[in-house]
């Protein structure tokens, strides 16, 4: 595991750094997908840049607003390099608001953009799975299988790597079949694919949150999402009689 | 994809998914037996240790059970550690009577160096010496400063890597000392 590394006097945690890398790679992949959907990839980079700036500034300002007396005593600490001093919900809201403004300003078509962002989001999730693996987060249940990894001194399923590999497969499949999916259905396929991955691999996660008679909550959510997306596929199918033009 | 194929797919996914979830459910007896292991991660019991203090006594983490603990790994050569020490000292002085302990773990230095540091910064909270780095390894502290927030039941509620400003310290303190 590699939770952090020392660079001179700075302690650099791997999780937030990989989060940043995942954001960039997700943006890159979204831009590639957007290009295949006939969109200018620069729009994706621009929207991503605005979202990142708004998220960082909004997240820190949110933290300042929630802890005004502490920052009033030491205003320079607003510039603290510690990425933990953020309000994530304010950051997310600021980023989404700016992206919505950008889409509206440039009148971008929503469905192809949805396909691009969902595909890019999958690559971000791949990097986050790697970050989880390096930090021993969301670790697997004990096993004696030959590919077990030692996390927290116990041989465990490398469940984060299962998730990483499964999500990569979904990305590749989606890239291969993208041209056969109408705009909007690419994004739906991305969500369905990730839900299917979580439905399978979360069986090997340790310490799950359970509901009812010991059912793993994340698996239940994944199955519900998967079925809902497949139903949406069914409803929006061009061959659905409800969508056929009336004679 | 044809309508018939999609209908069949939905049926198969629903059936196989439900069976898979049923097959992998966690019996109540198992979840009770699989108590959270003591590992340095939020939601888990803090791994216990005993280390010598600066004044030659020894201090065991579990002896502090019943009090909230801010476990801070530091070294005198670490600039961000020096920068956050006044904040930690202030937090300790403000709340010491109410059941909060700041416990500084000096990483790998000679007692004289640690003592000089403590005197220079006027630290009044307890300091233990991890000269062999066994506790640093136990807590996977690859970089300094690293701080763990442990509640009165000995459960880690949060971890911060890097220097904390006042706001961040106050925010994370509330997870163990509401």
């Amino acid at each position: 595991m590699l939770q952090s590394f020392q660079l001179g006097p700075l302690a650099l945690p791997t999780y937030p750094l990989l989060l940043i890398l995942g954001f960039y790679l997700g943006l890159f992949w979204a831009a590639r997908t957007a290009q295949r959907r006939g969109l200018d990839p620069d729009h994706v980079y621009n929207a991503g840049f605005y979202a990142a700036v708004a998220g960082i500034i909004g997240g820190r300002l949110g933290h300042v607003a929630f802890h005004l007396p502490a920052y009033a005593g030491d205003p320079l600490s607003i510039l603290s390099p510690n990425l933990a001093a953020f309000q994530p919900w304010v950051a997310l809201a600021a980023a989404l608001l700016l992206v919505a403004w950008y889409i509206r300003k440039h009148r971008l078509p929503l469905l192809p953009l949805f396909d691009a962002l969902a595909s890019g989001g999958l690559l971000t999730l791949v990097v986050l799975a790697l970050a989880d693996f390096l930090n021993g987060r969301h670790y697997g249940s004990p096993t004696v299988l030959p590919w077990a990894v030692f996390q927290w001194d116990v041989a465990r399923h490398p469940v984060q790597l299962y998730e990483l590999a499964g999500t990569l497969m979904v990305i590749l499949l989606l890239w291969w079949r993208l041209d056969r999916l109408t705009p909007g259905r690419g994004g739906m396929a991305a969500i369905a694919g990730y839900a299917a991955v979580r439905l399978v691999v979360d069986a090997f996660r340790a310490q799950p949150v359970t509901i009812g008679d010991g059912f793993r909550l994340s698996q239940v959510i994944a199955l519900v999402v998967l079925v809902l997306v497949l139903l949406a596929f069914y409803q929006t199918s061009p061959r659905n009689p409800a969508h056929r033009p009336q004679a | 994809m044809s309508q018939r194929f999609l209908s069949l797919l939905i049926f198969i996914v629903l059936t196989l998914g439900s069976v898979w979830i049923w097959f992998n459910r966690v019996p109540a007896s198992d979840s009770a037996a699989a108590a959270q292991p003591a590992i340095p991660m939020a939601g888990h019991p803090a791994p216990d240790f005993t280390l010598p203090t600066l004044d030659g006594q020894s201090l065991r983490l579990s002896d502090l059970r019943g009090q909230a603990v801010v476990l801070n790994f530091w070294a005198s050569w670490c600039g961000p550690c020096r920068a956050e020490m006044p904040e930690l000292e202030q937090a300790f002085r403000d709340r010491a009577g109410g059941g909060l302990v700041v416990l500084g773990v000096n990483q790998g230095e000679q007692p004289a160096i640690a003592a000089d540091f403590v005197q220079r910064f006027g630290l009044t909270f307890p300091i233990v010496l991890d000269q062999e780095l066994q506790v640093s390894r136990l807590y996977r502290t690859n970089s300094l400063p690293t701080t763990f927030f442990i509640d009165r039941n000995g459960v880690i509620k949060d971890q911060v890597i890097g220097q904390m400003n006042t706001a961040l310290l106050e925010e994370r303190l509330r997870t163990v000392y509401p």
Side-chain angles (χ1 to χ4, degrees), chain A residues 165-221:
Chain A
T167 311
L168 266 181
M169 278 174 57
V170 174
I171 290 172
L172 293 175
L173 268 174
L174 193 58
W175 185 254
W176 176 45
R177 304 293 283 184
L178 188 65
D179 291 338
R180 298 189 62 167
L181 295 166
T182 53
R185 291 164 78 85
M188 284 158 58
I191 294 171
Y194 183 66
V197 169
R198 292 295 302 267
L199 175 61
V200 174
V201 307
D202 277 17
F204 305 104
R205 242 180 256 282
Q207 313 287 341
V209 177
T210 57
I211 53 165
D213 190 19
F215 299 113
R216 293 163 184 262
L217 180 61
S218 61
Q219 281 192 306
V220 173
I221 292 172

Side-chain angles (χ1 to χ4, degrees), chain B residues 77-95:
Chain B
W77 52 263
C78 157
C81 302
R82 289 197 295 271
E84 73 177 5
M85 276 302 165
E87 314 288 354
L88 289 169
E89 175 63 22
Q90 193 60 48
F92 176 65
R93 289 188 185 193
D94 289 348
R95 298 169 177 85

Side-chain angles (χ1 to χ4, degrees), chain A residues 1-6 8-14 60 63 66-67 70-71 74 77-78 80-82 84-87 135-139 151-153 156 181 185 199-204 207-208 210 213-216 219-220 223 226-227 230-231 233-235 237-241, chain B residues 1-7 9-11 13-28 31 34-41 44 77-81 84 87 138-146 148 159-172 174:
Chain A
M1 293 195 299
L2 183 68
Q3 287 158 301
S4 62
F5 61 94
Q6 196 84 32
L10 289 176
L12 296 175
T14 52
R60 181 53 57 89
H63 203 255
F66 277 92
H67 305 91
Y71 280 104
D74 182 13
S77 69
I78 292 173
S80 161
N82 199 322
F86 275 81
Q87 273 293 330
N135 284 270
R137 292 188 182 197
H138 308 127
Y139 51 84
Q151 286 196 313
W152 307 116
D153 302 325
R156 299 179 182 280
L181 295 166
R185 291 164 78 85
L199 175 61
V200 174
V201 307
D202 277 17
F204 305 104
Q207 313 287 341
T210 57
D213 190 19
F215 299 113
R216 293 163 184 262
Q219 281 192 306
V220 173
L223 181 61
L226 181 54
V227 169
L230 288 176
L231 283 172
F233 255 101
Y234 183 89
Q235 283 298 318
S237 168
R239 298 179 193 185
N240 187 336
Chain B
M1 279 184 280
S2 72
Q3 295 289 97
R4 186 176 294 176
F5 174 76
L6 270 173
S7 307
L9 186 63
I10 291 169
F11 175 74
V13 164
L14 202 53
T15 308
L16 288 183
S18 302
V19 170
W20 182 243
I21 290 174
W22 176 267
F23 183 73
N24 286 293
R25 70 192 194 283
V26 186
S31 54
Q36 302 272 38
I39 58 177
M41 184 185 284
H44 291 259
W77 52 263
C78 157
C81 302
E84 73 177 5
E87 314 288 354
L138 184 66
Y139 276 77
R140 307 288 206 282
T141 50
N142 301 323
S143 50
L144 297 176
T146 296
F148 292 88
Q159 177 190 3
V160 175
I161 297 173
Q163 181 191 337
M164 294 177 289
N165 60 21
T166 311
L168 185 55
L169 177 60
E170 293 292 327
E171 178 186 65
R172 301 304 160 98
R174 276 201 284 275

Side-chain angles (χ1 to χ4, degrees), chain A residues 11-101:
Chain A
L12 296 175
T14 52
Y15 199 89
L17 288 177
L18 281 171
L19 193 67
I20 294 167
L21 176 69
F23 178 76
Y24 173 74
L25 289 178
L27 215 53
F28 164 77
W29 198 248
R32 293 287 303 268
T33 311
Q35 203 165 14
R36 281 186 68 181
R37 284 296 197 211
L39 287 174
D40 181 355
D42 282 349
H43 279 313
V44 174
Y45 284 117
N46 289 343
F49 174 74
Y50 285 132
V53 171
I56 291 168
I57 295 176
R60 181 53 57 89
L61 287 180
H63 203 255
V64 172
F66 277 92
H67 305 91
L68 209 49
Y71 280 104
D74 182 13
L76 276 180
S77 69
I78 292 173
L79 304 174
S80 161
N82 199 322
L83 296 172
F86 275 81
Q87 273 293 330
W89 294 112
V90 179
L92 184 66
L96 287 178
L97 269 176
L98 222 64
V99 168
W101 166 81

